[in-house]
């Protein structure tokens, strides 16, 4: 998102804004195809996208109209499934401008499954290094356990400053002279920060492979793999168009896939195997990574979903989300208690320069103290507003947002006590809250969604003592 669009003159609103008005087609679409959103203030697009009626109708029509069998056989119902699965692979590659000669699509259950495939098979060893940005989802952070188990060096590069970005010099330093794997998100699921895609070429020049976690980026941004050329790209399709769940993909360079060493084989992954002989030969293509029967009744819904997004236009979606994010940030920054103190502290960039539509914040009381995020979770839920609270499976961004020192986090006494009681752990770290509040925008978000949240915050917490009665102890972070 560009900084040039990021201002609201006094009195300006999205209603008077030409750029916002140019995305009006999305309002028509919402009225026609997303009626199940009526009455909802859905602000959790980084959690999951929303599905159009048309997607559900297409699914029902397809299943009612034909019989689909288990793929990869010659029989007619099987070939019908195989054809749709292969068409979906091709659609995914086109969506990302990836050449089928260079890239392959491995179907997984979700982005997490894609990360695991890479982690468990990457040739980590004593001489190699895994470099992780501090800002990463836990499904990516978990790769470090595979790296450690095989003796690779694991290096983290923390987020810094008010914007919670990763300084490029720090990243260059972390890459060092060894080779290995760099993993980072194209967009943070905590702060919405968009980390530079130029880091892919930078890491390649140092002999690194790159896993670019695109799960939070692709729902509202164009990802051009032909230009950026990361090695491994995990995606969850429900985040892009809401339906189906249970289908993700690892989009990977064929050359990078060939360097992976799978720790096992399973039905569907092998070219040949002998039970008595004790040997196996994995399939030569992407199917070597697809364990067992694919979700063949849902995978074709991804082809439909991609066509749906392409018909709407990813650039139009991007423009809507960018302009509305700018408005949300502007409105949150303007929320004040009567005597003028701010009601909200935003974590990450205050504007829309190099950031997506995910906004993390805490509500402050009139004395500047953070309102416990469990209060916000309880009250927004009661008001029919879908936001998220906590650390969003991104501890590194949370540690940066709350400025927790590495020393405190490595203190074994704190850790031991924290394992027993999460609330006590937060106290030991001097944390005023167990996490932040996250509002995230997407495909058919509108001004009314944003205004409902902002009005709710003003009316519920402006100059009021928050009601902390009846909060349950925290069970997970
Ligand atoms: C940036 C990012 N990466 C990975 C994931 C994991 O996705 P999934 O739970 O669909 O596997 C998420 C989920 O929120 C995410 O936001």
């Amino acid at each position: 998102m560009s900084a040039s669009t990021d201002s609201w003159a006094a009195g300006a609103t999205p209603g008077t804004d030409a750029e916002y008005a140019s995305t009006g087609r999305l309002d028509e679409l919402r009225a026609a195809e997303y009626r199940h959103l009526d009455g909802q203030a859905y602000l959790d697009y980084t959690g999951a996208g929303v599905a159009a009626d048309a997607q559900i109708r297409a699914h029902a029509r397809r299943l009612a109209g034909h019989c689909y069998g288990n793929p990869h056989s010659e029989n007619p119902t099987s070939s019908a499934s195989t054809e749709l699965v292969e068409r979906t692979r091709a659609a995914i590659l086109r969506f990302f401008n990836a050449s089928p000669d260079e890239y392959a699509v491995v179907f997984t259950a979700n982005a997490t499954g894609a990360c695991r495939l890479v982690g468990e098979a990457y040739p980590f060893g004593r001489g190699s290094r895994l470099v992780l940005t501090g800002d990463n989802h836990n499904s990516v952070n978990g790769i470090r356990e595979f790296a450690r188990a095989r003796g690779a060096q694991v290096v983290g590069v923390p987020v810094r400053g008010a914007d919670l970005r990763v300084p490029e010099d720090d990243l260059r330093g972390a890459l060092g002279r060894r080779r290995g794997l760099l993993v980072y998100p194209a967009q943070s699921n905590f702060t919405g920060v968009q980390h530079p895609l130029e880091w892919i070429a930078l890491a390649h020049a140092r002999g690194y492979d790159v896993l670019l976690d695109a799960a939070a980026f692709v729902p509202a941004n164009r990802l051009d793999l032909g230009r950026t050329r990361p090695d491994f790209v995990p995606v969850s399709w429900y985040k892009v168009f809401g339906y189906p769940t249970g289908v993700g993909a690892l989009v990977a360079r064929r050359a990078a896939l060939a360097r992976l060493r799978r720790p096992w084989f399973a039905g569907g992954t092998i070219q040949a195997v002998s039970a008595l002989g004790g040997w196996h030969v994995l399939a030569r293509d992407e199917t070597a990574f697809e364990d067992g029967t694919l979700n063949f009744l849902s995978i074709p819904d991804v082809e439909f979903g991609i066509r749906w997004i392409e018909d709407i236009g990813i650039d139009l979606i991007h423009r809507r989300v960018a302009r509305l994010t700018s408005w949300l940030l502007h409105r949150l920054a303007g929320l004040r208690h009567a005597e003028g103190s701010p009601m909200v502290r935003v974590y990450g960039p205050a504007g829309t320069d190099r950031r997506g539509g995910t906004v993390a914040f805490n509500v402050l009381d009139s004395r500047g103290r953070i309102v416990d995020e469990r209060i916000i979770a309880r009250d927004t839920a009661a008001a029919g507003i879908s936001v998220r609270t906590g650390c969003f499976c991104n501890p590194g961004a949370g540690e940066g947002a709350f400025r927790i020192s590495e020393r405190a986090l490595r203190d074994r006494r704190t850790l031991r006590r924290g394992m027993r009681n999460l609330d006590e752990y937060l106290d030991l770290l001097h944390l005023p809250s167990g996490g932040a509040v996250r509002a995230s925008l997407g495909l058919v978000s509108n001004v009314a969604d944003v205004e409902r949240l902002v009005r709710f915050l003003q009316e519920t917490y402006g100059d009021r003592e928050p009601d902390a009665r009846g909060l349950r102890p925290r069970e997970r972070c």
Side-chain angles (χ1 to χ4, degrees):
M1 295 184 189
S2 87
S4 62
T5 60
D6 194 29
S7 59
W8 295 89
T13 66
T16 61
D17 183 68
E19 194 168 345
Y20 188 80
S22 74
T23 65
R25 181 167 168 236
L26 292 168
D27 296 316
E28 291 159 25
L29 202 64
R30 174 161 168 165
E33 284 287 343
Y34 295 84
R35 284 186 302 269
H36 42 290
L37 280 178
D38 291 355
Q40 304 278 340
Y42 186 78
L43 293 156
D44 191 18
Y45 282 83
T46 303
V50 292
D53 282 351
Q55 291 169 254
I56 315 303
R57 288 197 303 271
H59 176 86
R61 218 172 25 241
R62 178 164 48 79
L63 263 59
H66 197 83
C67 181
Y68 293 98
N70 195 320
H72 299 306
S73 170
E74 294 295 311
N75 75 58
T77 49
S78 175
S79 338
S81 296
T82 305
E83 189 193 329
L84 294 189
V85 167
E86 295 312 314
R87 260 176 37 191
T88 308
R89 279 192 221 279
I92 292 172
L93 291 177
R94 276 195 307 275
F95 185 57
F96 291 130
N97 187 32
S99 146
D101 294 333
E102 184 178 11
Y103 278 92
V105 173
V106 176
F107 285 112
T108 59
N110 45 35
T112 303
C115 292
R116 184 183 174 131
L117 277 181
V118 177
E120 71 183 7
Y122 192 79
F124 291 118
R126 295 216 164 270
S128 67
R129 186 176 280 186
L130 170 67
V131 177
L132 299 134
T133 50
D135 184 1
N136 258 317
H137 191 278
N138 274 337
S139 296
V140 174
N141 286 330
I143 294 175
R144 77 181 185 205
E145 300 306 310
F146 290 115
R148 273 184 185 154
R150 275 178 245 135
Q153 199 183 19
V154 176
V155 181
V157 200
V159 293
R160 293 198 193 282
D163 278 9
L164 301 175
R165 295 187 192 274
V166 174
E168 188 163 305
D169 283 348
D170 292 2
L171 183 83
R172 284 176 192 273
L175 293 174
R177 288 181 199 284
R178 289 198 192 192
R179 292 172 169 232
L181 180 65
L182 166 67
V183 297
Y184 75 98
Q187 180 172 316
S188 170
N189 72 315
F190 193 116
T191 57
V193 160
Q194 293 182 337
H195 299 286
L197 297 176
E198 291 75 17
W199 288 352
I200 298 162
L202 177 80
H204 280 166
R206 307 279 188 103
Y208 274 75
D209 293 312
V210 178
L211 181 147
L212 181 76
D213 176 6
F217 182 81
V218 290
N221 299 276
R222 188 179 288 282
L223 180 62
D224 183 337
L225 297 184
R227 196 170 57 77
T228 53
R229 307 188 60 219
D231 299 279
F232 306 107
V233 183
V235 180
S236 275
W237 293 108
Y238 71 88
K239 289 198 192 287
V240 186
F241 32 73
Y243 179 84
T245 50
V247 184
L250 172 65
V251 184
R253 286 176 72 193
R254 292 184 185 279
L257 272 186
R259 288 196 284 280
L260 300 185
R261 295 284 165 261
R262 291 221 71 192
W264 82 323
F265 65 89
T269 65
I270 39 120
Q271 194 184 349
V273 59
S274 166
L276 283 180
W279 55 264
H280 72 277
V281 180
L282 282 173
R284 290 216 184 89
D285 59 11
E286 55 273 34
T287 60
F289 294 86
E290 293 175 337
D291 297 334
T293 301
L294 287 174
N295 188 346
F296 61 92
L297 293 184
S298 292
I299 285 172
D301 294 324
V302 172
E303 188 198 12
F304 187 91
I306 286 176
R307 216 176 323 126
W308 184 251
I309 296 294
E310 282 175 338
D311 285 350
I312 298 169
I314 190 76
D315 296 330
L316 180 74
I317 297 166
H318 177 86
R319 196 162 0 117
R320 159 67 62 110
V321 170
R323 205 59 188 133
L324 206 51
T325 302
S326 175
W327 180 246
L328 172 61
L329 288 164
H330 173 74
R331 294 285 283 136
L332 290 176
L335 279 175
R336 302 275 148 178
H337 291 286
E339 85 295 357
S341 66
M343 277 186 60
V344 164
R345 178 183 300 156
V346 169
Y347 301 108
T352 50
D353 178 32
R354 292 168 296 143
R355 70 116 75 225
T358 305
V359 178
F361 62 92
N362 275 123
V363 176
L364 307 176
D365 69 14
S366 56
R367 285 196 270 167
R369 295 171 307 191
I370 287 178
V371 178
D372 192 308
E373 88 289 353
R374 288 170 300 176
I375 296 178
I376 313 287
R378 180 198 62 198
D379 296 348
T380 47
I385 298 173
S386 292
V387 290
R388 233 173 169 77
T389 56
C391 82
F392 324 120
C393 293
N394 189 330
E399 287 157 10
F402 293 112
R403 296 172 197 265
I404 313 172
S405 73
E406 188 170 336
R407 195 156 147 242
L409 290 163
R410 288 189 188 277
D411 183 330
R412 296 208 166 269
R413 245 171 351 122
T414 308
L415 281 178
R416 262 199 308 276
R417 285 163 70 179
M419 294 305 139
R420 288 197 296 269
N421 181 327
L422 195 51
D423 286 326
E424 200 180 321
Y425 175 63
L426 299 177
D427 282 346
L428 287 166
L429 293 176
H430 306 294
L431 282 184
S433 170
V437 183
R438 184 181 79 185
S440 51
L441 307 173
L443 178 57
V444 283
S445 294
N446 62 19
V447 185
D449 296 330
V450 170
E451 289 303 307
R452 186 150 148 206
L453 172 68
V454 170
R455 220 174 315 119
F456 169 82
L457 295 174
Q458 181 78 68
E459 285 166 7
T460 315
Y461 307 110
D463 301 295
R464 299 246 174 101
E465 197 56 39
D467 179 3
R469 283 172 302 178
L471 294 182
R472 295 219 193 98
R474 296 179 177 88
E475 282 165 7
R476 30 163 80 204
C477 190

